[in-house]
Amino acid sequence: MNKRANTAVLQIKSLNKSYGALSVTDDVSCELYPGEIHTLIGPNGAGKSTLIGQIAGWIKPDSGAIYLGNEDISKMSVAKRSRMGLGRSFQVSSLAMELSARRNVMLAVQARQGSSFRFWKAVDTDQSLIVEADEILKKLHIDDYKHVVAAELSHGKRRELEVACAMALKPKVLLLDEPMAGLDPSSTQGLVEFLLKLKETIPILLIEHDMDAVFKLSDRISVLVYGKLIFSGSPEEIKNSSDVKSAYLGED
Amino acid sequence: MISTPRIMTREKIINTGLLCLLCCAAIAAYFLDQGYYVNLISRIVVFAIAGIGLNLALGFGGMVSLGHAAFFGIGGYIAGISSQHFLDNTDVLLGLSGTNQMLTIWLITIIVNAVLALLIGLISLRTTGIYFIMITLAFAQMIYYFAISWPSYGGEDGLLISERNQLFTIATDNELFFFLICFSLLIFFLWISSRIIHSRFGAALEVARMNHVRLATVGINPFPIKLVAFIFSAVITALAGALFADLNRFVSPDMLSWQMSGEIIIFILLGGLGRLLGPVIGATIFVLLETFIGGYTEHWKLFLGLFLLATVLFAKGGLMQIIAGKKQHE
């Protein structure tokens, strides 16, 4: 374990956040190692999304630090963190709804190339953006929808498109907030397989409610209850833990 | 919805047609000896340029600025003040003499307004929604009251420009020549803004409007994108202001008033928010109503109001949507 600690890609160190008297993140520390999927589970209101919000930079923690590789990213803006290699998807899809799937991915490619202050050349015909965007869409099997505007995509396709946008950033780490929510069984299966392959190159911090998917995907599971990490272990250990059962699994 | 190139071409054809119509009307009016109508069309063109400027911020960037009269008016005052000092043969300040050369005036207009827009943008773009509207309005009102209380340049009465400023040796007093200057600038700014909107910068700007969370998530900070667009927007509107002062040979605090800001917004809403030629159509309708209904009754703005109401209620995309169909994205 110690040897691995040096190589953590994402490290959260005693993060705290409270809204008034309500502690939504209570001294949370966890790590994400190369090649793994680390899943956060917990009942509604446990503070999972708040935690993701703090990692991504939308919410400012009261104390604690977040490291991406060796770099402390806790003071960086959302955009800066994304450029550093933090890719994410949202619980409720957040896309440019009026733009086609391809244009959404092209924007992410453009952002990674770091070239948004170019005022002259047309985007529509920019092969360096189109080729790469199409490759990613194909990888996620949504290239049939590349000309469809995001607003007209099904809920499930939008989630996959969000993952595609995150992939375009060539991230070091992926934060996925309930990517399976609203997916039909076959899409869920497809995404599970995709993520299992993906984790080899990009480790994933996952929040998910679909327990079947969680047990299939996760190398490690951490349980968050009332802002506190109460347990962390392999899927087997989670299944057998009585604490977890009483706090979470049993109530479900 | 799959975008069809057919509709894109249709909009382009309509755009070209409208611009040709405007140009031909001015030339025809000139040769029919109707100088008044040539000036009227120049008025449309100048308002349209002001609208094209604001459209970058409002239509494409989603920044509802109720303070663009500040840039429009300052552009006007730069033309007026420079011309006054040139004719009096006095210094503007610090040994800087006035000029009647449009190119110099335009250059000064660009620099002054870019700096001003940078300052206003740095402060106001930290807010959104109603707060952004109010802060931009507040800045414009400050400048408006400043102009009113500054007697050396006419204060409340405004400033007469006894001779139009010059562009090289072109006789700017000739209605048609002046129209052609304005029209060339209109085409130039349409071209510029079309390039900007379709560039990478434009793509980022439109996503800043649609969903700033998405933009930040892909790693583009929305703030500098919006700030640069706001500056471009201000500069174009300010150049329209400089032309407007020369067109009327008069500049007054009215150009800086919040009503003026509102009118520029109206040009855009009537024609079509975020449509390239929206401001041209909007300004045309505005000036036609102002002239022809304004000829019968001073309450012509009642009709403008009804027109605006109908547009907002029944044709949210403005007149451009009715004639050219919905705005298309790839």
Side-chain angles (χ1 to χ4, degrees), chain B residues 22-45:
Chain B
L22 217 52
C23 190
C24 293
I27 294 171
Y30 180 75
F31 286 109
L32 292 171
D33 227 9
Q34 300 287 333
Y36 168 77
Y37 288 104
V38 181
N39 282 339
L40 206 64
I41 300 171
S42 295
R43 186 178 172 84
I44 291 176
V45 169

Side-chain angles (χ1 to χ4, degrees), chain B residues 4-301:
Chain B
T4 47
R6 189 177 56 84
I7 293 181
M8 292 295 290
T9 349
R10 190 172 142 201
E11 183 166 348
K12 267 185 190 154
I13 293 168
I14 290 167
N15 287 354
T16 318
L18 282 169
L19 291 172
C20 286
L21 201 67
L22 217 52
C23 190
C24 293
I27 294 171
Y30 180 75
F31 286 109
L32 292 171
D33 227 9
Q34 300 287 333
Y36 168 77
Y37 288 104
V38 181
N39 282 339
L40 206 64
I41 300 171
S42 295
R43 186 178 172 84
I44 291 176
V45 169
V46 171
F47 279 159
I49 297 173
I52 288 167
L54 181 60
N55 206 19
L56 261 185
L58 174 63
F60 297 101
M63 296 170 262
V64 186
S65 163
L66 195 51
H68 261 49
F71 308 119
F72 191 68
I74 287 176
Y77 269 98
I78 289 174
I81 290 170
S82 181
S83 150
Q84 178 183 321
H85 285 287
F86 175 77
L87 296 171
D88 296 354
N89 211 359
T90 49
D91 288 349
V92 180
L93 64 139
L94 309 168
L96 212 71
S97 59
T99 171
N100 73 339
Q101 281 304 312
M102 282 183 177
L103 282 184
T104 317
I105 289 170
W106 293 345
L107 186 69
I108 296 167
T109 304
I110 291 171
I111 294 167
V112 170
N113 284 281
V115 172
L116 184 70
L118 174 71
L119 295 176
I120 294 180
L122 275 175
I123 295 166
S124 60
L125 284 169
R126 301 193 178 276
T127 64
T128 52
I130 188 76
Y131 301 102
F132 179 78
I133 299 176
M134 285 300 138
I135 292 181
T136 49
L137 173 64
F139 275 111
Q141 288 300 90
M142 270 157 48
I143 294 164
Y144 171 74
Y145 284 108
F146 181 76
I148 277 190
S149 56
W150 198 12
S152 22
Y153 297 117
E156 219 167 335
D157 299 331
L159 185 63
L160 277 168
I161 300 174
S162 39
E163 273 174 42
R164 258 184 203 157
N165 292 303
Q166 300 294 308
L167 183 65
F168 308 116
T169 52
I170 297 172
T172 48
D173 277 340
N174 178 301
E175 292 97 351
L176 186 63
F177 288 165
F178 190 78
F179 165 81
L180 288 173
I181 293 172
C182 298
F183 191 75
S184 313
L185 282 178
L186 174 72
I187 301 291
F188 176 72
F189 286 122
L190 281 172
W191 179 58
I192 292 273
S193 63
S194 160
R195 290 305 294 239
I196 291 177
I197 294 153
H198 293 108
S199 71
R200 291 186 176 207
F201 176 81
L205 180 65
E206 292 220 66
V207 177
R209 180 193 79 234
M210 293 171 191
N211 184 351
H212 68 100
V213 172
R214 166 71 1 212
L215 193 63
T217 300
V218 297
I220 302 172
N221 191 349
F223 185 79
I225 299 278
K226 285 167 114 178
L227 184 61
V228 169
F230 188 75
I231 294 172
F232 277 146
S233 160
V235 163
I236 296 175
T237 300
L239 285 167
L243 286 174
F244 194 67
D246 266 330
L247 171 66
N248 300 324
R249 290 188 209 154
F250 178 61
V251 47
S252 77
D254 284 350
M255 278 180 77
L256 292 160
S257 67
W258 65 269
Q259 287 93 331
M260 189 67 232
S261 295
E263 280 166 13
I264 306 176
I265 295 179
I266 290 174
F267 305 152
I268 297 176
L269 289 180
L270 284 178
L273 196 64
R275 300 298 283 258
L276 191 61
L277 246 73
V280 181
I281 296 175
T284 308
I285 297 168
F286 183 92
V287 172
L288 290 181
L289 287 177
E290 176 188 53
T291 311
F292 295 107
I293 298 188
Y296 291 108
T297 163
E298 57 180 313
H299 303 300
W300 68 275
K301 284 203 172 162

Side-chain angles (χ1 to χ4, degrees), chain A:
Chain A
M1 202 64 188
N2 263 341
K3 194 179 143 216
R4 290 180 77 194
N6 297 326
T7 61
V9 209
L10 183 71
Q11 220 177 345
I12 293 149
K13 284 184 179 166
S14 31
L15 214 57
N16 283 289
K17 175 79 194 173
S18 40
Y19 292 116
L22 181 70
S23 180
V24 284
T25 304
D26 188 355
D27 197 27
V28 170
S29 297
C30 68
E31 301 84 25
L32 184 66
Y33 297 104
E36 78 168 351
I37 292 181
H38 184 167
T39 307
L40 287 172
I41 60 170
N44 283 328
K48 302 184 296 288
S49 290
T50 317
L51 183 60
I52 290 280
Q54 290 171 77
I55 300 171
W58 293 103
I59 303 169
K60 201 173 164 286
D62 297 334
S63 66
I66 302 157
Y67 285 86
L68 185 65
N70 296 321
E71 202 118 16
D72 185 355
I73 60 167
S74 7
K75 299 279 181 292
M76 294 177 184
S77 70
V78 175
K80 184 85 204 280
R81 291 180 202 206
S82 297
R83 286 199 298 276
M84 297 283 300
L86 202 65
R88 78 164 291 194
S89 78
F90 292 82
Q91 194 175 2
V92 177
S93 303
S94 184
L95 293 158
M97 289 296 177
E98 298 153 57
L99 296 183
S100 66
R102 183 201 249 171
R103 283 297 286 269
N104 269 282
V105 181
M106 279 165 70
L107 181 80
V109 176
Q110 165 183 331
R112 199 204 67 238
Q113 294 181 354
S115 54
S116 289
F117 283 96
R118 286 195 203 159
F119 303 95
W120 212 241
K121 209 174 135 195
V123 171
D124 294 5
T125 51
D126 193 331
Q127 289 304 319
S128 77
L129 299 179
I130 294 172
V131 170
E132 199 176 326
D134 285 356
E135 262 170 31
I136 295 162
L137 288 164
K138 197 161 191 172
K139 222 187 252 174
L140 276 144
H141 307 293
I142 46 174
D143 50 334
D144 287 347
Y145 301 89
K146 66 183 173 192
H147 293 299
V148 182
V149 294
E152 289 174 17
L153 286 173
S154 71
H155 190 64
K157 290 285 170 263
R158 277 186 213 163
R159 312 218 137 247
E160 290 171 351
L161 179 55
E162 277 208 344
V163 177
C165 291
M167 295 293 299
L169 300 174
K170 301 210 168 137
K172 296 189 188 109
V173 170
L174 272 181
L175 307 177
L176 303 181
D177 196 351
E178 296 193 30
M180 318 285 174
L183 290 196
D184 60 69
S186 77
S187 306
T188 303
Q189 187 53 35
L191 194 55
V192 165
E193 279 161 25
F194 177 75
L195 293 182
L196 281 174
K197 231 186 293 163
L198 184 64
K199 73 168 187 177
E200 302 297 329
T201 44
I202 308 170
I204 298 165
L205 187 64
L206 182 71
I207 289 183
E208 189 48 63
H209 274 303
D210 179 339
M211 292 313 288
D212 284 341
V214 168
F215 286 123
K216 261 185 241 165
L217 281 169
S218 310
D219 297 288
R220 232 150 30 98
I221 300 175
S222 293
V223 185
L224 199 64
V225 179
Y226 295 123
K228 238 179 158 55
L229 272 188
I230 60 161
F231 193 88
S232 191
S234 69
E236 281 311 306
E237 289 169 315
I238 291 284
K239 276 182 195 164
N240 298 330
S241 157
S242 55
D243 285 354
V244 176
K245 265 191 193 137
S246 63
Y248 182 51
L249 292 177
E251 290 169 17
D252 228 86

